[in-house]
Amino acid sequence: MKTYRHLWEELISDENIREAVYNASHGSVRGRRQAQLRAIYENVDAEIPRIRDIIENYIPIHHKTMTINDGVSQKKREIIVPTIYEHITQHAVMLILKPIFMKGMYEHSYASIPDRGCHNGAFRMMKWIEEGGRHIKYCGKFDIRKFFENIDQDILIDKLNRIIDDERFMDLLIKIIRTTEKGLPLGFYTSQWFANFYLQDFDHFIKEQLGIKYYMRYMDDMVIFGSNKKELHKDKDLMLEYLQENLHVWFKDNWQIFRFDTKEHKGRFVDFMGFRFYRDHTTMRRSIARKAMDLAYKLSKKETITVEDARRMLAYYGWIKHTDSYKFVQKYIDPYVSFEKLKQIISEDSKRRA
């Protein structure tokens, strides 16, 4: 296994800090925090010494959690909001770690990875269903119980120590990880990357030791396909054993192994990543479709559509364009909103901020 040295010098370099500030200020942060980050970016050369000092003398801060409605699904989650300079520090760290993590990452691990969102995963899933033949006969669907909360910090740190031979850099990573007493804090930019890294060996176990051809993971949700139901049950037991013994996490009790929808036998669709995959077509999850309908109707009643309104509605566009939703859009979306006009609102806002 390759180990990486001299990461600290790269971390605190002017170039890395400048890029971290740019990424942090042009990311998904909105409102007052985005304005603060933009102000730092506009004065970045003067800010670099201060940011470097914060990184060199990093002190974890005690945070209170807050409840948010996350993503298109609007699922309630407890998150920690990092300070502005914590956020920049995390971006600086990930600029160093991203290329290292990506080298060992399973190719069909999706979520929180550049160019590997749920829509990329959906495209690959549809390809598998189209080309997989008898191997796409039965499906196993699993979800890790309270994944972020139950990640073992000691195991994660040990995994990082195996590939990183830089004491100061590791010391900073440990401080970020130990911000919470257990698990990883939702809301930290580093957490999504650490979580994926935590499961890398598990991904390779499934592919290389269990030999499962069709396996996809979307963070802590996973799907496997096979031609034999008994073999999938054996695979599930071995996967669970690996998770419990090596990573101290386990599946939720609602795991499923079932016959996939076929022309010859009436089976079930696969509900994964917000999509419903059938043998010959793909739709949105019903709850997502309902939220898209409701939001489109609400926006049609507003005199002025804000940038945030436009972003919220366009978040549904990815699901719509990757599914067989023509009739749905024609009936429930097009009479109320125009995606082209929403894109124009965001484009004009971006030009004003540039």
Side-chain angles (χ1 to χ4, degrees), residues 4-12 16 55 89 92-98 100-101 160-161 164-176 194:
Y4 296 85
R5 301 180 175 87
H6 311 299
L7 301 180
W8 182 259
E9 292 82 359
E10 190 178 349
L11 172 71
I12 62 172
N16 192 64
I55 294 173
T89 298
V93 164
M94 288 317 308
L95 282 169
I96 308 302
L97 285 180
K98 255 189 252 183
I100 297 173
F101 284 178
L160 289 166
N161 269 317
I164 296 172
D165 185 12
D166 185 317
E167 187 175 345
R168 293 190 74 182
F169 190 78
M170 270 306 305
D171 181 60
L172 176 59
L173 297 188
I174 291 168
K175 287 177 179 177
I176 292 172
F194 287 149

Side-chain angles (χ1 to χ4, degrees), residues 327-353:
K327 290 183 179 178
F328 168 81
V329 173
Q330 194 177 43
K331 185 175 182 179
Y332 297 109
I333 304 296
D334 285 347
Y336 304 107
V337 295
S338 163
F339 285 121
E340 291 305 314
K341 289 182 179 179
L342 296 176
K343 290 177 184 177
Q344 187 177 354
I345 290 170
I346 292 175
S347 176
E348 290 173 356
D349 179 71
S350 297
K351 289 176 182 176
R352 284 196 299 270
R353 292 175 179 274

Side-chain angles (χ1 to χ4, degrees), residues 7-18 20-21 47-60 84-96 168-173 175-176:
L7 301 180
W8 182 259
E9 292 82 359
E10 190 178 349
L11 172 71
I12 62 172
S13 67
D14 287 5
E15 295 77 10
N16 192 64
I17 294 173
R18 186 177 289 106
V21 173
E47 287 279 355
I48 284 175
R50 180 183 181 185
I51 295 168
R52 182 183 293 112
D53 183 65
I54 288 170
I55 294 173
E56 289 179 332
N57 301 285
Y58 189 86
I59 299 174
I84 295 296
Y85 288 100
E86 279 182 314
H87 190 57
I88 293 170
T89 298
Q90 291 166 23
H91 273 274
V93 164
M94 288 317 308
L95 282 169
I96 308 302
R168 293 190 74 182
F169 190 78
M170 270 306 305
D171 181 60
L172 176 59
L173 297 188
K175 287 177 179 177
I176 292 172

Side-chain angles (χ1 to χ4, degrees), residues 106-117:
Y106 171 51
E107 63 178 324
H108 297 305
S109 166
Y110 297 90
S112 304
I113 304 166
D115 301 318
R116 290 208 206 170

Side-chain angles (χ1 to χ4, degrees), residues 96-200:
I96 308 302
L97 285 180
K98 255 189 252 183
I100 297 173
F101 284 178
M102 291 298 292
K103 285 180 181 177
M105 190 173 291
Y106 171 51
E107 63 178 324
H108 297 305
S109 166
Y110 297 90
S112 304
I113 304 166
D115 301 318
R116 290 208 206 170
C118 61
H119 307 127
N120 305 88
F123 176 79
R124 177 52 51 191
M125 181 72 77
M126 288 185 272
K127 280 287 186 184
W128 284 356
I129 292 170
E130 180 184 349
E131 301 169 357
R134 66 181 180 84
H135 297 289
I136 309 291
K137 185 176 181 181
Y138 293 98
C139 175
K141 191 167 178 290
F142 317 102
D143 183 6
I144 297 176
R145 183 176 181 274
K146 295 182 178 179
F147 178 48
F148 279 79
E149 181 182 330
N150 286 316
I151 285 175
D152 189 309
Q153 294 179 352
D154 292 334
I155 293 175
L156 173 60
I157 290 166
D158 180 62
K159 285 179 176 291
L160 289 166
N161 269 317
R162 292 179 201 170
I163 61 170
I164 296 172
D165 185 12
D166 185 317
E167 187 175 345
R168 293 190 74 182
F169 190 78
M170 270 306 305
D171 181 60
L172 176 59
L173 297 188
I174 291 168
K175 287 177 179 177
I176 292 172
I177 291 167
R178 301 284 195 204
T179 299
T180 51
E181 290 184 4
K182 58 176 291 191
L184 292 175
L186 281 170
F188 274 25
Y189 179 61
T190 46
S191 291
Q192 58 200 23
W193 287 95
F194 287 149
N196 268 314
F197 174 71
Y198 194 73
L199 292 176
Q200 274 189 18

Side-chain angles (χ1 to χ4, degrees), residues 119-346:
H119 307 127
N120 305 88
F123 176 79
R124 177 52 51 191
M125 181 72 77
M126 288 185 272
K127 280 287 186 184
W128 284 356
I129 292 170
E130 180 184 349
E131 301 169 357
R134 66 181 180 84
H135 297 289
I136 309 291
K137 185 176 181 181
Y138 293 98
C139 175
K141 191 167 178 290
F142 317 102
D143 183 6
I144 297 176
R145 183 176 181 274
K146 295 182 178 179
F147 178 48
F148 279 79
E149 181 182 330
N150 286 316
I151 285 175
D152 189 309
Q153 294 179 352
D154 292 334
I155 293 175
L156 173 60
I157 290 166
D158 180 62
K159 285 179 176 291
L160 289 166
N161 269 317
R162 292 179 201 170
I163 61 170
I164 296 172
D165 185 12
D166 185 317
E167 187 175 345
R168 293 190 74 182
F169 190 78
M170 270 306 305
D171 181 60
L172 176 59
L173 297 188
I174 291 168
K175 287 177 179 177
I176 292 172
I177 291 167
R178 301 284 195 204
T179 299
T180 51
E181 290 184 4
K182 58 176 291 191
L184 292 175
L186 281 170
F188 274 25
Y189 179 61
T190 46
S191 291
Q192 58 200 23
W193 287 95
F194 287 149
N196 268 314
F197 174 71
Y198 194 73
L199 292 176
Q200 274 189 18
D201 291 339
F202 175 65
D203 293 334
H204 290 291
F205 168 77
I206 290 173
K207 292 297 295 180
E208 294 157 18
Q209 295 192 42
L210 298 186
I212 297 175
K213 183 177 182 180
Y214 296 107
Y215 159 63
M216 184 179 292
R217 180 169 63 78
Y218 187 74
M219 194 54 77
D220 56 320
D221 292 341
M222 56 201 77
V223 162
I224 60 175
F225 289 101
S227 58
N228 186 295
K229 193 172 184 179
K230 287 184 179 179
E231 288 299 319
L232 285 188
H233 276 280
K234 290 179 183 177
D235 291 334
K236 183 271 297 181
D237 291 340
L238 292 170
M239 290 163 65
L240 181 57
E241 181 181 310
Y242 183 99
L243 288 172
Q244 290 175 324
E245 291 185 1
N246 297 283
L247 300 176
H248 299 173
V249 294
W250 54 94
F251 291 141
K252 289 180 181 177
D253 293 336
N254 63 351
W255 61 267
Q256 305 168 52
I257 294 177
F258 55 91
R259 184 159 198 148
F260 181 50
D261 175 59
T262 67
K263 293 178 182 178
E264 296 80 15
H265 300 89
K266 188 62 179 175
R268 292 166 51 190
F269 59 83
V270 177
D271 187 330
F272 190 55
M273 300 184 296
F275 297 92
R276 285 180 164 187
F277 298 97
Y278 297 83
R279 181 68 58 175
D280 57 357
H281 67 285
T282 302
T283 65
M284 288 179 284
R285 185 177 291 161
R286 189 168 295 171
S287 60
I288 292 174
R290 170 59 65 182
K291 288 184 173 70
M293 291 165 49
D294 291 346
L295 181 57
Y297 180 75
K298 287 177 183 176
L299 295 188
S300 73
K301 299 300 181 183
K302 294 187 71 170
E303 290 185 9
T304 303
I305 296 178
T306 67
V307 175
E308 289 305 316
D309 290 334
R311 287 197 179 99
R312 284 180 63 204
M313 191 66 227
L314 281 172
Y316 293 102
Y317 182 66
W319 269 271
I320 290 169
K321 74 176 183 179
H322 286 85
T323 57
D324 302 291
S325 303
Y326 176 76
K327 290 183 179 178
F328 168 81
V329 173
Q330 194 177 43
K331 185 175 182 179
Y332 297 109
I333 304 296
D334 285 347
Y336 304 107
V337 295
S338 163
F339 285 121
E340 291 305 314
K341 289 182 179 179
L342 296 176
K343 290 177 184 177
Q344 187 177 354
I345 290 170
I346 292 175

